[in-house]
């Protein structure tokens, strides 16, 4: 394996919400695959600003910014692009609900790993090894 990038770099930020050994995943409108909720940053945004904006847009909840803590940064090749996903945990206010951007929310365990992209699978592996994801 080399450190060379394949194609473009897609820089994303994701929210890790684990309840009872399962992680929250979302399937965007028109897609077949599930993702850890989050998305791409807009010009000039910090990780925290991107995270707060994306989660409000996708899941209709407000993250409590004082509780945002890093989980890790993961990178993987996916379809000719290199995806970097910076992951954070945070408390939230409100009721989780799929927005107009999201077709479906699901709580995944480790056995559901094949239903997420390669970069998300790296997070699944780490959480499972740590005993956080069953």
């Amino acid at each position: 394996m080399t450190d060379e990038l394949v194609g473009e770099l897609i820089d994303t930020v994701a929210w890790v919400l684990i309840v009872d050994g399962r992680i929250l995943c979302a399937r965007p409108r028109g897609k077949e695959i599930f993702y850890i909720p989050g998305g791409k940053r807009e010009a000039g945004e910090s990780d925290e600003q991107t995270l707060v904006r994306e989660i409000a847009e996708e899941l209709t909840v407000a993250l409590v910014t004082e509780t945002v803590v890093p989980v890790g940064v993961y990178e993987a090749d996916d379809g000719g692009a290199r995806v970097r996903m910076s992951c954070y945990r945070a408390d939230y206010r409100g009721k989780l609900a799929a927005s107009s951007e999201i077709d479906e929310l699901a709580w995944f365990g480790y056995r559901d790993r094949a239903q997420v992209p390669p970069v998300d699978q790296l997070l699944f592996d780490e959480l499972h090894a740590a005993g956080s994801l069953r």
Side-chain angles (χ1 to χ4, degrees):
M1 187 158 102
T2 68
D3 289 332
E4 291 183 35
L5 294 179
V6 176
E8 70 174 307
L9 175 65
I10 300 170
D11 187 22
T12 66
V13 179
W15 182 40
V16 176
L17 179 62
I18 299 172
V19 175
D20 296 329
R22 296 187 176 282
I23 189 167
L24 180 65
C25 292
R27 187 171 58 80
R29 188 156 313 285
K31 304 262 181 163
E32 295 297 318
I33 197 163
F34 283 83
Y35 297 87
I36 304 300
K40 298 176 192 171
R41 75 182 76 245
E42 293 181 356
E45 279 186 327
S46 68
D47 281 5
E48 184 177 297
Q49 290 168 328
T50 303
L51 188 68
V52 168
R53 177 183 53 75
E54 285 286 346
I55 297 309
E57 289 174 1
E58 292 181 0
L59 305 175
T60 69
V61 296
L63 295 184
V64 180
T65 56
E66 306 81 48
T67 66
V68 174
V69 293
V71 171
V73 178
Y74 307 88
E75 286 192 29
D77 294 333
D78 188 8
R82 184 89 176 159
V83 179
R84 176 184 302 137
M85 181 174 71
S86 301
C87 296
Y88 296 86
R89 291 184 196 253
D91 295 336
Y92 68 95
R93 292 187 185 102
K95 183 178 178 187
L96 288 171
S99 73
S100 61
E101 296 180 9
I102 303 297
D103 273 342
E104 184 179 0
L105 298 178
W107 293 94
F108 282 3
Y110 189 68
R111 72 175 184 273
D112 303 304
R113 179 183 182 275
Q115 296 182 61
V116 298
V119 73
D120 294 41
Q121 290 178 11
L122 296 175
L123 172 65
F124 272 50
D125 292 344
E126 189 170 286
L127 293 171
H128 181 67
S132 299
L133 191 63
R134 61 174 181 190

